[in-house]
PDB file of all heavy atoms in Angstrom:
ATOM      1  N   VAL A 189      87.670  89.660 112.388  1.00 88.00           N
ATOM      2  CA  VAL A 189      88.611  89.834 113.531  1.00 88.00           C
ATOM      3  C   VAL A 189      89.982  89.376 113.109  1.00 88.00           C
ATOM      4  O   VAL A 189      90.987  89.910 113.424  1.00 88.00           O
ATOM      5  CB  VAL A 189      88.068  89.169 114.919  1.00 88.00           C
ATOM      6  CG1 VAL A 189      89.156  89.147 115.878  1.00 88.00           C
ATOM      7  CG2 VAL A 189      86.915  89.835 115.365  1.00 88.00           C
ATOM      8  N   ARG A 190      90.019  88.189 112.545  1.00 88.00           N
ATOM      9  CA  ARG A 190      91.300  87.492 112.099  1.00 88.00           C
ATOM     10  C   ARG A 190      91.989  88.452 111.133  1.00 88.00           C
ATOM     11  O   ARG A 190      93.226  88.661 111.227  1.00 88.00           O
ATOM     12  CB  ARG A 190      91.048  86.133 111.552  1.00 88.00           C
ATOM     13  CG  ARG A 190      92.259  85.418 111.254  1.00 88.00           C
ATOM     14  CD  ARG A 190      92.103  83.965 110.823  1.00 88.00           C
ATOM     15  NE  ARG A 190      91.416  83.927 109.595  1.00 88.00           N
ATOM     16  CZ  ARG A 190      90.834  82.820 109.024  1.00 88.00           C
ATOM     17  NH1 ARG A 190      91.053  81.673 109.694  1.00 88.00           N
ATOM     18  NH2 ARG A 190      90.245  82.849 108.009  1.00 88.00           N
ATOM     19  N   ARG A 191      91.211  88.979 110.089  1.00 90.00           N
ATOM     20  CA  ARG A 191      91.855  89.810 109.144  1.00 90.00           C
ATOM     21  C   ARG A 191      92.362  91.155 109.777  1.00 90.00           C
ATOM     22  O   ARG A 191      93.526  91.506 109.450  1.00 90.00           O
ATOM     23  CB  ARG A 191      90.835  90.247 107.995  1.00 90.00           C
ATOM     24  CG  ARG A 191      90.636  89.033 107.019  1.00 90.00           C
ATOM     25  CD  ARG A 191      89.925  89.539 105.762  1.00 90.00           C
ATOM     26  NE  ARG A 191      88.610  90.138 106.034  1.00 90.00           N
ATOM     27  CZ  ARG A 191      87.457  89.426 105.940  1.00 90.00           C
ATOM     28  NH1 ARG A 191      87.587  88.217 105.458  1.00 90.00           N
ATOM     29  NH2 ARG A 191      86.369  90.044 106.139  1.00 90.00           N
ATOM     30  N   ASP A 192      91.576  91.700 110.723  1.00 89.00           N
ATOM     31  CA  ASP A 192      92.063  92.845 111.449  1.00 89.00           C
ATOM     32  C   ASP A 192      93.373  92.559 112.232  1.00 89.00           C
ATOM     33  O   ASP A 192      94.297  93.396 112.229  1.00 89.00           O
ATOM     34  CB  ASP A 192      91.002  93.447 112.405  1.00 89.00           C
ATOM     35  CG  ASP A 192      89.826  93.939 111.666  1.00 89.00           C
ATOM     36  OD1 ASP A 192      89.936  94.210 110.396  1.00 89.00           O
ATOM     37  OD2 ASP A 192      88.731  94.047 112.304  1.00 89.00           O
ATOM     38  N   MET A 193      93.509  91.426 112.847  1.00 89.00           N
ATOM     39  CA  MET A 193      94.651  91.027 113.576  1.00 89.00           C
ATOM     40  C   MET A 193      95.845  90.913 112.671  1.00 89.00           C
ATOM     41  O   MET A 193      96.978  91.345 112.987  1.00 89.00           O
ATOM     42  CB  MET A 193      94.386  89.801 114.451  1.00 89.00           C
ATOM     43  CG  MET A 193      93.456  89.926 115.514  1.00 89.00           C
ATOM     44  SD  MET A 193      93.055  88.361 116.431  1.00 89.00           S
ATOM     45  CE  MET A 193      94.744  87.903 116.963  1.00 89.00           C
ATOM     46  N   GLU A 194      95.568  90.255 111.541  1.00 89.00           N
ATOM     47  CA  GLU A 194      96.649  90.075 110.635  1.00 89.00           C
ATOM     48  C   GLU A 194      97.195  91.443 109.985  1.00 89.00           C
ATOM     49  O   GLU A 194      98.362  91.572 109.760  1.00 89.00           O
ATOM     50  CB  GLU A 194      96.200  89.109 109.510  1.00 89.00           C
ATOM     51  CG  GLU A 194      95.998  87.607 109.845  1.00 89.00           C
ATOM     52  CD  GLU A 194      95.512  86.787 108.835  1.00 89.00           C
ATOM     53  OE1 GLU A 194      95.147  87.365 107.767  1.00 89.00           O
ATOM     54  OE2 GLU A 194      95.411  85.531 109.015  1.00 89.00           O
ATOM     55  N   ALA A 195      96.249  92.296 109.832  1.00 90.00           N
ATOM     56  CA  ALA A 195      96.583  93.663 109.308  1.00 90.00           C
ATOM     57  C   ALA A 195      97.391  94.425 110.370  1.00 90.00           C
ATOM     58  O   ALA A 195      98.413  95.009 109.864  1.00 90.00           O
ATOM     59  CB  ALA A 195      95.299  94.465 108.866  1.00 90.00           C
ATOM     60  N   LYS A 196      96.976  94.335 111.557  1.00 89.00           N
ATOM     61  CA  LYS A 196      97.830  95.023 112.612  1.00 89.00           C
ATOM     62  C   LYS A 196      99.194  94.384 112.766  1.00 89.00           C
ATOM     63  O   LYS A 196     100.180  95.106 113.007  1.00 89.00           O
ATOM     64  CB  LYS A 196      97.069  95.073 113.903  1.00 89.00           C
ATOM     65  CG  LYS A 196      95.796  95.862 113.978  1.00 89.00           C
ATOM     66  CD  LYS A 196      95.085  95.650 115.306  1.00 89.00           C
ATOM     67  CE  LYS A 196      93.843  96.563 115.350  1.00 89.00           C
ATOM     68  NZ  LYS A 196      93.078  96.385 116.621  1.00 89.00           N
ATOM     69  N   GLN A 197      99.183  93.065 112.613  1.00 88.00           N
ATOM     70  CA  GLN A 197     100.566  92.482 112.651  1.00 88.00           C
ATOM     71  C   GLN A 197     101.413  92.834 111.585  1.00 88.00           C
ATOM     72  O   GLN A 197     102.585  93.059 111.717  1.00 88.00           O
ATOM     73  CB  GLN A 197     100.357  90.890 112.681  1.00 88.00           C
ATOM     74  CG  GLN A 197     101.631  90.117 112.899  1.00 88.00           C
ATOM     75  CD  GLN A 197     101.378  88.663 113.008  1.00 88.00           C
ATOM     76  OE1 GLN A 197     100.232  88.203 112.682  1.00 88.00           O
ATOM     77  NE2 GLN A 197     102.340  87.846 113.367  1.00 88.00           N
ATOM     78  N   ARG A 198     100.915  92.963 110.366  1.00 89.00           N
ATOM     79  CA  ARG A 198     101.657  93.397 109.214  1.00 89.00           C
ATOM     80  C   ARG A 198     102.147  94.846 109.376  1.00 89.00           C
ATOM     81  O   ARG A 198     103.329  95.143 109.052  1.00 89.00           O
ATOM     82  CB  ARG A 198     100.931  93.308 107.898  1.00 89.00           C
ATOM     83  CG  ARG A 198     100.694  91.865 107.353  1.00 89.00           C
ATOM     84  CD  ARG A 198     100.194  91.805 105.976  1.00 89.00           C
ATOM     85  NE  ARG A 198      98.877  92.424 105.853  1.00 89.00           N
ATOM     86  CZ  ARG A 198      97.773  91.879 105.971  1.00 89.00           C
ATOM     87  NH1 ARG A 198      97.773  90.409 106.121  1.00 89.00           N
ATOM     88  NH2 ARG A 198      96.557  92.381 105.800  1.00 89.00           N
ATOM     89  N   GLU A 199     101.294  95.636 109.956  1.00 90.00           N
ATOM     90  CA  GLU A 199     101.730  97.077 110.145  1.00 90.00           C
ATOM     91  C   GLU A 199     102.847  97.088 111.262  1.00 90.00           C
ATOM     92  O   GLU A 199     103.887  97.831 111.016  1.00 90.00           O
ATOM     93  CB  GLU A 199     100.563  97.868 110.740  1.00 90.00           C
ATOM     94  CG  GLU A 199      99.496  98.177 109.690  1.00 90.00           C
ATOM     95  CD  GLU A 199      98.316  98.851 110.268  1.00 90.00           C
ATOM     96  OE1 GLU A 199      98.414  99.262 111.457  1.00 90.00           O
ATOM     97  OE2 GLU A 199      97.331  99.136 109.631  1.00 90.00           O
ATOM     98  N   ARG A 200     102.861  96.299 112.209  1.00 88.00           N
ATOM     99  CA  ARG A 200     103.914  96.225 113.254  1.00 88.00           C
ATOM    100  C   ARG A 200     105.180  95.709 112.566  1.00 88.00           C
ATOM    101  O   ARG A 200     106.284  96.307 112.814  1.00 88.00           O
ATOM    102  CB  ARG A 200     103.428  95.384 114.420  1.00 88.00           C
ATOM    103  CG  ARG A 200     102.498  95.996 115.271  1.00 88.00           C
ATOM    104  CD  ARG A 200     102.309  95.222 116.665  1.00 88.00           C
ATOM    105  NE  ARG A 200     102.000  93.822 116.412  1.00 88.00           N
ATOM    106  CZ  ARG A 200     100.805  93.379 116.505  1.00 88.00           C
ATOM    107  NH1 ARG A 200      99.797  94.221 116.807  1.00 88.00           N
ATOM    108  NH2 ARG A 200     100.501  92.007 116.386  1.00 88.00           N
TER     109      ARG A 200
END
Side-chain angles (χ1 to χ4, degrees):
V189 171
R190 187 175 63 187
R191 284 197 296 264
D192 292 343
M193 291 176 60
E194 291 177 350
K196 291 180 180 179
Q197 186 178 6
R198 286 194 298 268
E199 290 178 2
R200 288 195 298 266

